[in-house]
Amino acid sequence: MGVKLLLEKANVPGIRTYDVYRREGGYVAAEKALKEMSIEAIVEEVKKSGLRGRGGAGFPAGMKWSFIAKPEGVPRHLVCNADESEPGTFKDRYLMEFLPHLLIEGLLISSYALGSNDTYIYIRGEYAWVAQILEDAIVEATKNGWLGKNILGTGFDCMIHVHRGAGAYICGEETALIESLEGKRGNPRIKPPFPAIQGLWMRPTVVNNVETLAAVVPIIKMGGEEYAKIGVGRSTGTKLISACGNINKPGVYEIDMTISVEDFIYSDEYCGGIAGGKKLKACIPGGSSVPILPANLLLKTAKGETRYMNYESLSDGGFATGSMMGSGGFIVLDEDQCIVKNTLTLARFYRHESCGQCSPCREGTGWMEKILQKIELGKGEMSDIDLLWDIQRKIEGNTICPLGDAAAWPVAAAIRHFRDEFEWHINNRALSQTSNFGLQHYADPIHVPA
Amino acid sequence: MSLQFNNEQMTEFKRLIAHYPEGKQKSALLPVLHLAQDSFGGWLPTEAMDYVAGLLQIEPIEVYEVATFYSMYNLKPVGKFVFEVCQTGPCMISGSENIIAYIQKQLAIQPGETTKDGMFTLKLVECLGACGYAPMMQVGKIYREHLTKDKVDAIIAEYRMQIVAQN
Ligand SMILES: Cc1cc2nc3c(=O)[nH]c(=O)nc-3n(C[C@H](O)[C@H](O)[C@H](O)COP(=O)(O)O)c2cc1C
Ligand code: SF4
Ligand code: FES
């Protein structure tokens, strides 16, 4: 069994309630932080821990906190990003649903460190029942003196507010989230200014993911240095992975980032192998936006080394032969899955979710969907593959926010690694409507250059 | 003006706007639109949006542009129960297509349509954050996960019973 820092108590009966959470050692870290530590010391521990943002970009949390502007007399805000809409990702939901007080405790400590008296949880609108669980936990925490005025006699006031979104993936992007929190359309802002200078209501704001903020609790409890000893290299601590697709045990797992991808997929402690005894074809290891990898490149890097479930190893080889840790949404495809169709559903998703501000993203996502649809329906031309490649290349890097890149990468990776499957669809138009390209050579061991 | 929050809804409205600082009441727009949609029959007629604009002291256009941006707001009437079935990649590879086809057959409607008796609407939606429990759909405020044909039948029967019980 790997180390569990976040989900250790997830199965304790009644852990959702304040009393049980407290009895199991809850709010001890908050007490320590507020009573015994200075603000600088808390930020220092988070820096030492090496904690990287768990929302997808992996930016060091302690560094982000130290950027927050502190102009005299202007309120500052912490905003918790619980928008969780990246296909394949459902870890934050699990954490909030089963351990609401862990998040509240993390938010309290972080709010104290950042000087946020009004902290917001922006939760995707569809998670209505999870929002209710959080509201209930906030009432309990307030009743027990952990939120409200003059917490623990420190003079620090803090309230946590739950704000429900209304169905828009783009609102997970931090500046779109801020716009949405101001009651507007979720159109990302042009940066700079960065939220740390001018964010919510033009006040200094830090936006962090649910899991990032929950991880502050074990960091304060054990100290940043101890936290940093778990894991490997710059992948410190533990990471929640939401695993789905064609595996025996879909679900949310906490890993310590030293486990190999192969073990994660095949061991009974985690995914339990491919469902129905089938073969692994491909995997999108970090949420729908990151490059898809064929089985051979997933389990081993291009150099023939074992690939591990951590930031560095998953991105080994860059986009040519690697992928990314992303949000931890681990999507597994078996031998019967069609890459063209899978890519099409993702292209449709990005077209649907583009806010429409930038032409390359708005128009490009629409075209990619149309062309993929054409190939999928057995009406594709060979030139369509190059056209797809050209469109994705023109989107990437040419837009206000990274949704453009997120839409381009899955298409690029699918063509890069599975071009023969696209060609097969075009060369076998009728056959492609009734059967699949299948596994072909994707699971073969890759050739290791001498 | 006929559309109005009743007392209970008005109390909830006041609780919602209290989350934001003085003068920033526009921030409550998304939560208040949810409240309006729940209060006024599951969708947002222009009258409801104008009412919300009045309550928040903002221009009606500020409400329209938001209501049209977010997918959870219905701008047309919908059935009593809206089946929002996820069709994105992870659900698709876990068999959502069969479930969608089965619901279409059982309810005799296409995606986007409502049954003649006004009971059910079928909507195809994008990832709902339940990919590990696929295939799945959202009905009102709850998720129905690990769907099978039998489960779909049972769910449809359950909602039909609910209506019979109410009448
Ligand atoms: C299109 C798009 C969607 C995003 N969705 C989310 C999300 O749902 N949750 C999240 O935490 N971060 C999301 N992010 C990343 C946020 O912009 C931001 O980097 C993150 O919330 C910062 O928190 P962290 O540093 O703790 O990860 C998204 C980014 C983009 C471009
Ligand atoms: S890249 Fe797409 S989603 Fe992002 S701002 Fe531009 S149009 Fe909107
Ligand atoms: S893909 Fe269907 S819930 Fe995520």
Side-chain angles (χ1 to χ4, degrees):
Chain A
M1 286 282 281
V3 193
K4 303 264 179 290
L5 301 178
L6 299 173
L7 303 186
E8 191 194 350
K9 301 278 161 71
N11 294 323
V12 175
I15 194 72
R16 201 183 267 168
T17 63
Y18 173 78
D19 289 339
V20 176
Y21 180 74
R22 179 75 173 137
R23 195 186 66 214
E24 294 288 328
Y27 290 99
V28 167
E31 200 161 9
K32 177 175 171 190
L34 268 69
K35 280 195 172 157
E36 298 166 24
M37 295 172 74
S38 68
I39 285 169
E40 294 74 24
I42 297 172
V43 177
E44 195 49 39
E45 289 306 320
V46 175
K47 274 191 183 164
K48 272 196 252 170
S49 74
L51 173 67
R52 293 168 68 174
R54 304 295 196 226
F59 192 80
M63 203 189 297
K64 187 181 231 177
W65 287 12
S66 60
F67 292 153
I68 193 166
K70 297 186 173 173
E72 200 59 40
V74 183
R76 301 185 284 278
H77 295 286
L78 170 64
V79 178
C80 171
N81 191 341
D83 193 52
E84 186 154 75
S85 314
E86 166 103 352
T89 317
F90 47 100
K91 66 184 179 75
D92 296 337
R93 160 187 169 183
Y94 186 91
L95 203 149
M96 295 186 285
E97 198 172 345
F98 295 100
L99 294 160
H101 281 285
L102 179 67
L103 177 61
I104 308 281
E105 184 175 6
L107 285 173
L108 168 60
I109 301 169
S110 310
S111 301
Y112 178 70
L114 292 161
S116 169
N117 302 121
D118 286 288
T119 290
Y120 291 87
I121 303 176
Y122 185 102
I123 185 166
R124 68 176 297 173
E126 295 89 344
Y127 285 174
W129 81 99
V130 186
Q132 191 56 52
I133 290 171
L134 292 170
E135 299 260 17
D136 293 346
I138 289 168
V139 169
E140 283 185 306
T142 311
K143 246 188 233 154
N144 287 281
W146 297 100
L147 294 173
K149 296 237 176 288
N150 191 18
I151 299 164
L152 304 183
T154 54
F156 176 64
D157 303 341
C158 183
M159 208 45 230
I160 297 174
H161 311 274
V162 179
H163 180 104
R164 267 177 74 207
Y169 165 65
I170 190 58
C171 290
E173 193 281 333
E174 56 182 9
T175 60
L177 184 152
I178 289 170
E179 286 283 299
S180 182
L181 197 41
E182 292 182 359
K184 301 182 211 154
R185 295 166 76 95
N187 289 342
R189 294 177 181 171
I190 294 174
K191 301 193 246 190
F194 287 90
I197 314 296
Q198 287 181 327
L200 181 59
W201 305 307
M202 300 313 266
R203 300 167 177 177
T205 303
V206 164
V207 181
N208 272 134
N209 174 257
V210 169
E211 185 189 345
T212 313
L213 293 163
V216 170
V217 175
I219 289 170
I220 293 303
K221 234 185 237 173
M222 65 203 293
E225 248 164 66
E226 284 304 307
Y227 183 89
K229 284 183 192 157
I230 299 163
V232 56
R234 289 179 56 235
S235 299
T236 62
T238 61
K239 174 84 190 84
L240 298 184
I241 305 289
S242 57
C244 64
N246 311 124
I247 47 177
N248 281 317
K249 291 170 57 197
V252 177
Y253 299 103
E254 182 168 11
I255 60 160
D256 71 9
M257 298 199 265
T258 56
I259 179 174
S260 71
V261 176
E262 187 160 1
D263 283 346
F264 183 70
I265 295 179
Y266 291 100
S267 84
D268 283 334
E269 196 184 338
Y270 302 104
C271 303
I274 309 301
K278 291 187 188 169
K279 292 205 178 82
L280 171 69
K281 177 173 183 175
C283 174
I284 307 173
S288 63
S289 305
V290 312
I292 186 169
L293 289 177
N296 48 11
L297 277 176
L298 174 75
L299 305 179
K300 294 238 191 297
T301 68
K303 288 173 258 162
E305 290 163 357
T306 303
R307 204 186 278 283
Y308 293 93
M309 296 285 292
N310 62 51
Y311 291 93
E312 289 77 21
S313 188
L314 283 173
S315 57
D316 188 292
F319 278 9
T321 57
S323 185
M324 275 168 82
M325 177 70 122
S327 62
F330 195 83
I331 310 166
V332 179
L333 285 76
D334 71 22
E335 56 189 297
D336 291 336
Q337 300 307 329
C338 168
I339 300 297
V340 174
K341 194 167 192 182
N342 184 64
T343 312
L344 167 62
T345 76
L346 298 183
R348 185 188 55 221
F349 171 82
Y350 290 105
R351 188 264 304 148
H352 184 256
E353 303 300 336
S354 166
C355 85
Q357 281 192 106
C358 331
S359 337
C361 172
R362 181 187 60 239
E363 303 300 323
T365 52
W367 279 107
M368 290 197 300
E369 183 193 3
K370 276 198 197 111
I371 297 165
L372 282 161
Q373 181 89 51
K374 197 176 146 202
I375 300 175
E376 166 64 18
L377 291 176
K379 297 182 179 141
E381 312 285 339
M382 224 26 116
S383 58
D384 286 335
I385 303 177
D386 294 326
L387 185 56
L388 266 180
W389 184 265
D390 191 49
I391 296 171
Q392 69 77 22
R393 204 175 47 79
K394 284 178 175 147
I395 301 175
E396 195 199 357
N398 292 319
T399 57
I400 295 177
C401 92
L403 186 139
D405 302 344
W409 295 342
V411 173
I415 298 176
R416 188 181 298 120
H417 300 301
F418 300 90
R419 192 177 180 109
D420 47 358
E421 187 162 342
F422 284 82
E423 289 174 354
W424 178 84
H425 270 257
I426 290 160
N427 289 329
N428 303 276
R429 291 172 161 200
L431 188 62
S432 75
Q433 299 307 294
T434 53
S435 70
N436 262 332
F437 183 69
L439 194 63
Q440 305 286 352
H441 60 273
Y442 299 133
D444 297 346
I446 47 164
H447 174 69
V448 183
Chain B
M1 170 81 74
S2 56
L3 279 183
Q4 270 191 347
F5 286 149
N6 62 25
N7 285 343
E8 197 185 318
Q9 291 155 354
M10 201 43 131
T11 309
E12 177 62 7
F13 168 76
K14 287 186 180 139
R15 191 186 73 83
L16 291 175
I17 54 170
H19 286 302
Y20 311 93
E22 279 293 314
K24 307 288 184 202
Q25 78 285 352
K26 183 177 172 179
S27 278
L29 182 51
L30 267 61
V32 173
L33 282 177
H34 281 306
L35 177 66
Q37 179 158 297
D38 292 347
S39 307
F40 304 138
W43 71 294
L44 293 170
T46 310
E47 204 187 349
M49 293 192 271
D50 292 347
Y51 175 61
V52 167
L55 286 177
L56 293 175
Q57 296 169 295
I58 55 179
E59 293 300 323
I61 182 72
E62 293 177 81
V63 180
Y64 306 159
E65 65 177 10
V66 162
T68 52
F69 185 85
Y70 296 92
S71 66
M72 286 181 78
Y73 301 126
N74 296 314
L75 302 175
K76 293 190 313 208
V78 289
K80 287 204 173 63
F81 302 99
V82 186
F83 286 6
E84 302 185 75
V85 192
C86 173
Q87 58 171 347
T88 315
C91 276
M92 188 274 291
I93 64 174
S94 311
S96 64
E97 284 179 325
N98 292 336
I99 293 296
I100 293 166
Y102 189 69
I103 296 174
Q104 279 178 229
K105 185 173 138 245
Q106 293 306 86
L107 296 179
I109 50 173
Q110 295 299 308
E113 294 178 355
T114 300
T115 51
K116 284 205 189 71
D117 59 4
M119 284 270 292
F120 300 103
T121 300
L122 174 62
K123 243 170 118 173
L124 301 188
V125 298
E126 302 296 343
C127 181
L128 292 172
C131 330
Y133 323 112
M136 63 79 61
M137 64 176 171
Q138 180 183 3
V139 187
K141 286 192 171 150
I142 55 170
Y143 280 13
R144 312 298 301 242
E145 300 171 330
H146 298 296
L147 294 177
T148 58
K149 289 179 181 170
D150 287 346
K151 225 164 161 179
V152 167
D153 286 339
I155 291 168
I156 294 173
E158 178 192 322
Y159 290 129
R160 289 220 159 101
M161 286 294 286
Q162 259 187 41
I163 292 297
V164 173
Q166 275 168 23
N167 290 337

